[in-house]
Amino acid sequence: MLDIRQATMNDIPGIRACNFQCFPMEDRRDSCYYEKRIVSWPQLSYVAEDYRTGPVLPTHRRQGIAKKLITAAQNAMVGEYGSEYVSLYALNLFTESLGYKIQETAAEFYDNGEDAYVMEKKLPRKTSGSSWA
């Protein structure tokens, strides 16, 4: 059973372990990276957890989990802040699955010198009594 829920500080060791396992070639940020995000944006920080296996691992890929996490954060942006759009740096997941449009290229954005795409998506207007369940 997969659960999408708000992240807490107690999730940081699991987040780091999962990130290292899924993306061994990427920058191995320390716990302060995740801690800052959870402290700064607690309403927008989510984790996926499989109650049968614990953390969501590489074996869970291509099951729509990232889409569920991003959708939860998008809904929180509208509900908590009345956001009208969001900008992200990514590609296939966001353009094909979530409907983001590429706005520009950020040259040499990543530590390895690769470029990134800046993307945006219009969000629905906040209405009273909206439910995001």
Side-chain angles (χ1 to χ4, degrees):
M1 169 112 201
L2 185 72
D3 183 35
I4 304 292
R5 61 174 174 77
Q6 281 190 301
T8 69
M9 294 299 207
N10 293 333
D11 292 312
I12 292 174
I15 292 169
R16 290 184 71 220
C18 184
N19 192 50
F20 294 161
Q21 189 171 8
C22 293
F23 306 105
M25 300 302 290
E26 288 192 7
D27 182 18
R28 294 182 178 249
R29 301 177 192 270
D30 64 11
S31 60
C32 291
Y33 175 84
Y34 304 106
E35 190 174 282
K36 287 176 189 175
R37 273 130 190 93
I38 292 172
V39 167
S40 299
W41 303 99
Q43 307 91 330
L44 306 179
S45 301
Y46 290 87
V47 294
E49 186 172 45
D50 187 331
Y51 285 113
R52 297 169 297 180
T53 63
V56 174
L57 300 171
T59 55
H60 291 79
R61 287 184 176 166
R62 311 220 37 93
Q63 295 182 20
I65 297 168
K67 185 174 181 176
K68 290 176 185 175
L69 288 165
I70 294 296
T71 299
Q74 288 174 172
N75 292 340
M77 286 180 220
V78 174
E80 294 285 330
Y81 303 105
S83 299
E84 295 180 9
Y85 70 93
V86 61
S87 297
L88 297 170
Y89 296 84
L91 191 55
N92 288 344
L93 168 69
F94 300 107
T95 58
E96 295 175 15
S97 297
L98 296 170
Y100 284 78
K101 305 287 185 222
I102 296 172
Q103 300 298 313
E104 62 182 285
T105 301
E108 298 180 21
F109 177 81
Y110 295 105
D111 291 339
N112 66 2
E114 287 186 36
D115 296 345
Y117 295 106
V118 179
M119 293 181 260
E120 290 186 355
K121 175 184 178 178
K122 286 282 192 189
L123 297 175
R125 292 199 181 273
K126 181 178 178 180
T127 60
S128 60
S130 292
S131 173
W132 302 107

